[in-house]
Amino acid sequence: MSQSKHPTLRPETDVLTRGFDPSLSVGSARPAVFRSSTYVFSSPEAAERAFDIMGGRAQRRPEENVDLVYSRFNHPNAQILEDQIVPLEPGATAAAVFNSGMAAIMTALLAVLEPGDSIIYTVPIYGGTQTLIQSFLQPFGIHGIPVTAGDTRGIDQAIQSAQKLRVILIESPANPTIVMTDIRRACEAAANLHPAHNGAGAGERPLVMIDNTFLGPAFQHPLSLGADVSLYSATKYLGGFSDIIGGVALARDSSLMNRIRSKRSLFGNIMQPDECWILDTRLPTVGLRMNRQSKNAQRVAEKLNGHPKIKRLYYPTLFEDAEQIRIYKEQCDYPGGLLSIDLHGGKRAAFDFLRSLKLARNAVSLGGAETLACHPRSTTHSAWTPEDLDEAGIGEGLVRISFGIEDWRDLLADFEAALESI
Ligand SMILES: *Cc1c(COP(=O)(O)O)cnc(C)c1O
């Protein structure tokens, strides 16, 4: 829909003022919900034009109003949401919304990967993403190359040596040990790759895609670091209340986004109008919520650091590894709302701790206004082998906490009491 009239506005202002024209919603100050599955054309010629543009046979002219067609392809609430989310991701020119984070990841990958291509991906990575690559893309002839998150030299070497490398998919920080991977460095390695070097088509350098769910959009800006696509599970911080499932892809290059959108039309995984409307109401507060969540996590992490029942604590301001400290300082504005603690006493201690919590709730997922805690080894990462879990630092005593927006002093008291109960 309409672009911002003031292209220099800061994100917090832009998100509230662009992308929505009240005159198209009978003057309503907030967008209406358009639940129609199909749209009446203004003329047969306009219908023909809309199909030509959708089919890639014609290009939309700047300022041209193209008729809507059918809600699997596009609908007003998706357009409004996409226009309003763009300013939250520095460097983005276009967005596409999906009915889950997995749908966003899958569609972005399948928009560019072909049989015979390679994809490099960091591990640990979200379980669904790992299964998508290993159990779905590999049998289709796409070669998956895992690299250890945070292993800067290992990633450089993988980029240099991969054949027909099409995508580098990085999740940073990694879950649940908060290991960070140098995004800028991977983007530079991809950009410097000579096209003839690894058999990709002429002029086709590999695309860098970042799963930015844990620190974006407030604290980490992959497109500014050189990445091509920033991906989200909007179920987490963007949605912010543990009440919707959604996904977003954002890109610097709008023609790449058109490729992703055309696959979305084919797969039928666009976000539905009601969900778009809900997510749209959450955008103006995502920065406020994430700041509060990060402050809560940081205060509690720093208070719990050194607690006799805690073997090790994983939080960016408490990193000890020099390379991790460097990446954190260069790449992130704030440490974020996720904290993992490894308890003395293994699984039993972790389960006692979770059972004793009164305020924080024992659930997977993250990013909501309420504090959640889980035991990754027996839940989110239970499909891993014991060797892989140990190597990634996902021990029997590890508990991951996603901070909400409660008062941090109440949360600290809750955690201290639960630690005493072990
Ligand atoms: C939750 C999550 C996903 C998957 O998102 P869904 O909305 O559940 O499909 C992908 N990546 C990360 C990092 C996640 O936390």
Side-chain angles (χ1 to χ4, degrees):
M1 290 198 172
S2 63
Q3 290 295 306
S4 172
K5 295 178 196 93
H6 312 281
T8 55
L9 290 178
R10 291 171 185 80
E12 292 79 2
T13 315
D14 215 9
V15 71
L16 278 161
T17 51
R18 79 182 236 152
F20 167 58
D21 179 355
S23 72
L24 298 174
S25 292
V26 291
S28 171
R30 291 295 296 172
V33 183
F34 296 87
R35 296 182 51 117
S36 193
S37 60
T38 192
Y39 285 83
V40 178
F41 300 118
S42 50
S43 68
E45 290 77 13
E48 184 178 32
R49 175 79 184 154
F51 271 81
D52 281 345
I53 289 171
M54 205 174 53
R57 295 178 295 275
Q59 288 298 313
R60 179 176 174 270
R61 291 183 298 270
E63 305 301 314
E64 180 182 0
N65 271 325
V66 183
D67 274 12
L68 288 161
V69 174
Y70 183 68
S71 294
R72 197 180 79 238
F73 309 141
N74 204 352
H75 54 76
N77 291 98
Q79 284 188 334
I80 292 166
L81 175 60
E82 287 167 359
D83 281 344
Q84 296 199 324
I85 206 166
V86 163
L88 293 181
E89 187 78 24
T93 62
V97 291
F98 297 86
N99 56 18
S100 70
M102 281 311 300
I105 294 166
M106 173 193 93
T107 308
L109 293 180
L110 290 177
V112 298
L113 285 166
E114 288 171 12
D117 288 344
S118 298
I119 173 174
I120 289 175
Y121 62 102
T122 50
V123 281
I125 200 159
Y126 182 72
T129 309
Q130 182 161 329
T131 307
L132 175 72
I133 295 171
Q134 293 178 350
S135 306
F136 182 80
L137 294 179
Q138 294 248 67
F140 271 78
I142 291 158
H143 182 48
I145 305 168
V147 293
T148 305
D151 179 2
T152 305
R153 288 200 42 208
I155 294 169
D156 280 353
Q157 280 162 7
I159 292 172
Q160 293 298 326
S161 61
Q163 294 298 306
K164 291 199 73 182
L165 179 60
R166 186 75 58 193
V167 174
I168 300 157
L169 177 62
I170 294 172
E171 187 175 306
S172 184
N175 177 36
T177 48
I178 333 276
V179 177
M180 298 201 172
T181 297
D182 189 338
I183 296 172
R184 186 193 294 279
R185 170 105 170 215
C187 294
E188 283 169 2
N192 292 335
L193 212 53
H194 194 274
H197 174 84
N198 69 352
E204 287 244 25
R205 60 174 182 79
L207 297 173
V208 181
M209 300 191 183
I210 309 296
D211 185 330
N212 206 32
T213 300
F214 291 143
L215 283 180
F219 304 148
Q220 180 171 275
H221 317 297
L223 304 182
S224 304
L225 301 169
D228 299 283
V229 180
S230 183
L231 296 163
Y232 287 92
S233 168
T235 312
K236 315 294 167 55
Y237 287 101
L238 284 169
F241 290 85
S242 305
D243 59 0
I244 56 170
I245 299 277
V248 186
L250 294 122
R252 281 187 293 159
D253 173 7
S254 57
S255 67
L256 174 59
M257 192 51 70
N258 286 339
R259 284 167 75 184
I260 295 173
R261 283 213 189 97
S262 86
K263 283 291 178 293
R264 181 183 68 179
S265 295
L266 187 65
F267 298 158
N269 55 11
I270 192 170
M271 186 182 273
Q272 298 290 308
D274 294 282
E275 309 299 298
C276 288
W277 185 89
I278 294 170
L279 186 54
D280 197 54
T281 66
R282 309 293 167 74
L283 297 184
T285 58
V286 66
L288 298 175
R289 288 183 276 109
M290 289 187 77
N291 270 294
R292 171 78 173 219
Q293 287 165 305
S294 179
K295 280 185 184 151
N296 279 354
Q298 184 171 354
R299 283 175 175 142
V300 171
E302 290 170 1
K303 291 277 181 204
L304 291 183
N305 195 24
H307 192 287
K309 300 253 167 99
I310 298 176
K311 187 158 62 171
R312 190 164 167 197
L313 210 137
Y314 299 88
Y315 194 69
T317 58
L318 302 171
F319 282 165
E320 285 169 3
D321 179 84
E323 176 69 351
Q324 287 293 299
I325 294 171
R326 177 190 71 78
I327 299 173
Y328 166 60
K329 290 204 167 142
E330 286 177 9
Q331 190 158 293
C332 312
D333 298 343
Y334 289 96
L338 290 178
L339 162 68
S340 291
I341 52 177
D342 198 355
L343 301 170
H344 288 294
K347 184 172 176 179
R348 213 190 137 146
F351 278 27
D352 282 347
F353 177 81
L354 290 171
R355 226 190 315 275
S356 306
L357 292 170
K358 299 269 187 300
L359 301 176
R361 295 180 181 144
N362 178 202
V364 298
S365 198
L366 57 113
E370 69 292 314
T371 296
L372 302 177
C374 69
H375 182 248
R377 192 161 170 132
S378 60
T379 58
T380 52
H381 293 68
S382 57
W384 289 36
T385 65
E387 297 74 37
D388 286 349
L389 286 162
D390 291 340
E391 199 186 306
I394 307 169
E396 295 282 6
L398 194 79
V399 172
R400 189 197 70 189
I401 303 164
S402 164
F403 279 80
I405 61 172
E406 304 91 337
D407 190 302
W408 69 276
R409 292 163 296 194
D410 295 328
L411 294 172
L412 178 64
D414 194 29
F415 294 131
E416 283 176 337
L419 286 168
E420 283 320 306
S421 78
I422 297 172

